[in-house]
Structure formats: structure tokens, C-alpha cells
């Protein structure tokens, strides 16, 4: 009797699972047909990410092989973690990791708040729209200057006879070739990055500010709050979710210090403060044709970025319940 009962129960479960799967397939087909235009519009985007983002990830396997273009990926010898070990034991490992982290941290400390401050200041300009639009246009423009042109401007400005040295000489200070001074490279890089991106980065914060309910400002005014207290207790809390999301995304790219600008500005004299992971990979992978070693370094860089993104997102979710997922 018990065997019959067990058999019937198993049959019932099988029928239930089959019915459930059939129901899911039916709902999926109905949804695909109902929203076919939307799915059709999404196909190019999905295809782009599959072709250019996910399929190339297969090439990361050369980080664990002694890759040879003649043998190909499959034919190259498997060496395991050898390239990672060589990287960690490299004499320049400490230097490039320190430089990458310091430049990234300086960019976060000084560069991340800059567009927030600019957006808050522009938000306080409520009567002079002409001045507000002028400041926005001036601060947006550097973002559209190519990196090559921008670095050319930086080289000219920081040259011994450049405008910055002219100002220093006017104040009685000595002229120097700034890009040949290792101690000034990080300052030049971070400050030029702020100048280039502060206006463009403020756009999203201005959009978030536009979405704050104006009744909150009226209520704060009735309670006796001035402009500064309104900014602290109404404006900043209103854009805080946007700030947190962008901060999490920034942490996810912390190890990705811009290669183009550093490559165009640095030189062997300033390697001790300017050489970062991306430029090191360029020299090892392109100039020395050590593809497997450079792939291992790049994979290490990506893993650290992913770990920082997940950790920051988890901490943010616990602290203020705002997160990417």
C-alpha cells in the first residue's frame, strides 16, 4: 500500500513539474510575441555585448598559457599561475600598484566631489540664468577636447616658458619643467582630469537636483532654514542616492587609471610616480610582445575592480539600503 502511495506521489510531482514547465514556456512565448518589437529593438545591443564583450573573454585564457601566435590559444603550453607569480615577484610590482592606487584615490578624493560641488553651486544661481548657462558651457567644453590635444595643452602650460611658470616667476618663484618633476606628476594629472570632467560630470547631478520637490524648500523656509541649511537638509539628501550609485560605479573602475593621458604625459624620469598598471601592460605586452604576461596583469586588474565593486555595493546596501543590485 505504501509503495502505491509513493508511486502516486512521484507521479503527481512529475505531472506538476511538467505542467509548471509547460505553463512557463507558454507565458514566455506569449510575452515574446506580445513584446516582439521591444525584443527586436534590443537585439543589436544584446548582439554587441555578446560579440564584443563576452566572446573575447575566452582570450583571457592566455594568461594561464605560454601564448604563441604561431601555435594559437589551443596549441600554446599551459603554465598555470606562472605569469601571476612572475608579476607579483616583479621588481616594479610595488611601484606600479602604489602609483595606480594613489592616483585613483586622489581622483576619488578630489575629482569625485568636484562635479557635485559645481552642481550645488549652479543650483544656487536661480536668478541669473545667463551666467549659469555661461558657466555650464565653459565647464562642459574641456570634455569634448581630445586627449591628444588636451595633453598638448598641458605640456605647453607646464613648460618652462609656459603660462604656469610665468605666474610662478611673477610671484618670485623659480621656473621649472613641471613634467620632469616626479613629485608634480600626480598633481598635474588629477587637476587636469578635474578640469576636463567636472562640467560633464555635473550634468547627472543637475538632473537629480531638478527632480527634488520644491515644496520641501518651501517647508524648510517656513521652518527658518537659510540657503545653506536647505542645501544640507534638502538638496544633499535629495541627490544622495545618485551620489552613492555613481560612487559604487567609480569604485568598480578604481584600478583603471586612464592609459592615454598618462602615456602622453609621462617619461622615464617620472616613472617612479607615473608608471601605472596600464602603462606597464603596454610595455610588456606590446613593446616586449609578452602577451600572456600582460593578459595575466590585466586579468588581475579586472578581478580587483570586480572585488571592489561587489564590496562597495554590499557595504552601501547595509549602511543606507542603496545599491546597484
Amino acid at each position: 500500500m505504501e509503495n502505491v502511495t509513493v508511486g502516486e506521489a512521484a507521479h503527481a510531482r512529475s505531472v506538476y513539474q511538467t505542467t509548471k514547465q509547460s505553463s512557463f514556456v507558454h507565458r514566455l512565448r506569449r510575452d515574446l510575441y506580445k513584446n516582439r518589437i521591444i525584443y527586436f529593438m534590443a537585439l543589436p545591443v544584446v548582439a554587441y555585448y555578446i560579440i564584443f564583450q563576452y566572446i573575447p573573454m575566452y582570450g583571457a585564457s592566455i594568461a594561464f598559457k605560454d601564448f604563441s601566435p604561431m601555435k594559437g590559444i589551443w596549441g600554446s603550453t599551459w603554465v598555470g599561475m606562472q605569469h601571476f607569480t612572475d608579476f607579483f615577484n616583479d621588481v616594479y610590482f610595488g611601484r606600479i600598484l602604489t602609483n595606480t592606487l594613489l592616483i585613483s584615490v586622489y581622483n576619488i578624493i578630489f575629482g569625485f566631489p568636484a562635479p557635485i560641488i559645481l552642481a550645488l553651486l549652479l543650483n544656487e544661481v536661480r536668478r541669473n540664468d545667463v551666467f549659469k548657462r555661461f558657466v555650464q558651457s565653459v565647464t562642459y567644453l574641456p570634455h569634448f577636447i581630445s586627449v591628444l590635444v588636451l595633453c598638448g595643452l598641458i605640456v605647453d602650460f607646464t613648460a618652462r616658458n609656459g603660462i604656469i611658470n610665468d605666474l610662478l616667476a611673477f610671484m618670485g618663484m623659480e621656473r621649472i619643467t613641471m613634467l620632469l618633476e616626479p613629485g608634480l606628476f600626480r598633481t598635474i594629472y588629477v587637476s587636469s582630469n578635474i578640469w576636463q570632467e567636472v562640467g560633464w560630470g555635473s550634468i547627472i547631478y543637475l538632473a537629480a537636483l531638478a527632480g527634488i520637490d520644491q515644496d520641501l524648500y518651501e517647508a524648510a523656509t517656513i521652518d527658518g532654514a537659510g540657503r545653506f541649511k536647505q542645501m544640507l537638509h534638502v538638496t544633499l539628501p535629495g541627490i544622495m542616492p545618485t551620489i552613492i550609485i555613481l560612487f559604487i560605479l567609480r569604485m568598480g573602475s578604481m584600478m583603471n587609471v586612464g592609459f592615454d593621458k598618462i602615456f602622453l604625459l609621462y617619461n622615464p624620469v617620472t616613472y617612479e610616480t607615473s608608471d601605472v598598471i596600464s602603462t606597464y601592460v603596454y610595455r610588456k605586452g606590446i613593446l616586449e610582445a609578452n602577451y600572456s604576461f600582460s593578459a595575466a596583469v590585466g586579468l588581475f586588474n579586472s578581478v580587483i575592480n570586480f572585488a571592489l565593486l561587489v564590496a562597495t555595493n554590499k557595504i552601501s546596501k547595509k549602511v543606507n539600503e542603496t545599491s546597484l543590485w
Side-chain angles (χ1 to χ4, degrees):
M1 188 69 178
E2 292 180 357
N3 292 335
V4 175
T5 304
V6 171
E8 291 178 350
H11 177 70
R13 284 196 298 269
S14 177
V15 172
Y16 172 76
Q17 291 293 338
T18 304
T19 305
K20 186 177 180 180
Q21 292 176 1
S22 177
S23 177
F24 171 75
V25 172
H26 177 71
R27 291 197 305 270
L28 179 61
R29 287 178 178 175
R30 186 173 59 183
D31 183 70
L32 287 173
Y33 179 78
K34 181 180 179 180
N35 302 302
R36 59 188 182 279
I37 302 299
I38 298 176
Y39 286 117
F40 181 76
M41 292 172 62
L43 277 178
V45 179
V46 174
Y48 167 80
Y49 278 97
I50 291 175
I51 296 173
F52 296 104
Q53 301 295 329
Y54 288 99
I55 293 179
M57 291 176 68
Y58 163 72
S61 61
I62 68 173
F64 305 95
K65 295 186 175 186
D66 184 14
F67 176 72
S68 170
M70 299 296 296
K71 297 179 180 179
I73 296 177
W74 283 106
S76 299
T77 306
W78 181 271
V79 296
M81 303 296 291
Q82 182 62 45
H83 298 301
F84 295 92
T85 303
D86 293 342
F87 175 57
F88 297 146
N89 293 329
D90 193 284
V91 65
Y92 298 116
F93 173 74
R95 184 183 74 182
I96 63 175
L97 185 62
T98 301
N99 290 338
T100 302
L101 289 175
L102 283 178
I103 292 176
S104 296
V105 169
Y106 291 159
N107 267 326
I108 291 175
I109 293 176
F110 300 105
F112 185 77
I116 302 174
I117 295 172
L118 177 61
L120 291 173
L121 292 174
L122 290 174
N123 186 61
E124 294 300 318
V125 181
R126 300 175 183 176
R127 296 183 179 180
N128 195 338
D129 291 337
V130 176
F131 174 76
K132 184 176 181 178
R133 288 195 296 269
F134 173 76
V135 172
Q136 286 178 300
S137 300
V138 170
T139 54
Y140 291 169
L141 284 176
H143 173 79
F144 299 98
I145 301 176
S146 70
V147 177
L148 183 63
V149 175
L150 182 73
C151 290
L153 292 174
I154 294 173
V155 171
D156 289 339
F157 290 162
T158 58
R160 184 175 290 272
N161 59 346
I163 186 173
I164 297 179
N165 272 295
D166 289 341
L167 294 174
L168 294 177
F170 178 77
M171 293 184 290
M173 301 174 68
E174 184 181 356
R175 291 178 178 269
I176 56 174
T177 305
M178 295 183 175
L179 287 177
L180 294 180
E181 296 291 332
L184 294 177
F185 183 86
R186 294 170 186 154
T187 302
I188 295 172
Y189 178 87
V190 174
S191 57
S192 64
N193 202 50
I194 294 173
W195 169 59
Q196 184 182 13
E197 300 296 338
V198 63
W200 184 256
S202 67
I203 293 176
I204 191 168
Y205 296 111
L206 289 170
L209 288 169
I212 298 177
D213 189 353
Q214 296 301 311
D215 291 340
L216 296 175
Y217 290 105
E218 295 178 5
T221 303
I222 294 172
D223 290 339
R227 297 287 288 272
F228 183 73
K229 287 189 176 181
Q230 289 179 27
M231 182 187 68
L232 290 179
H233 300 292
V234 178
T235 306
L236 279 177
I239 64 173
M240 189 56 65
T242 303
I243 295 174
I244 293 172
I245 293 298
L246 291 178
F247 179 76
I248 294 173
L249 293 174
R250 173 66 73 88
M251 290 299 295
S253 59
M254 185 173 180
M255 301 291 288
N256 293 338
V257 180
F259 165 78
D260 297 340
K261 187 185 292 185
I262 290 183
F263 178 74
L264 293 170
L265 292 178
Y266 84 153
N267 56 74
V269 178
T270 60
Y271 274 180
E272 61 181 283
T273 58
S274 63
D275 194 20
V276 295
I277 290 178
S278 57
T279 54
Y280 179 77
V281 168
Y282 166 77
R283 293 199 305 275
K284 284 289 185 178
I286 303 300
L287 300 185
E288 298 182 16
N290 196 344
Y291 305 113
S292 293
F293 184 83
S294 61
V297 177
L299 185 59
F300 163 80
N301 201 40
S302 299
V303 169
I304 296 300
N305 279 334
F306 179 74
L308 288 172
L309 176 66
V310 173
T312 307
N313 185 78
K314 187 174 182 179
I315 293 172
S316 175
K317 191 172 184 179
K318 285 186 176 181
V319 173
N320 51 37
E321 300 181 355
T322 300
S323 62
L324 291 175
W325 64 85

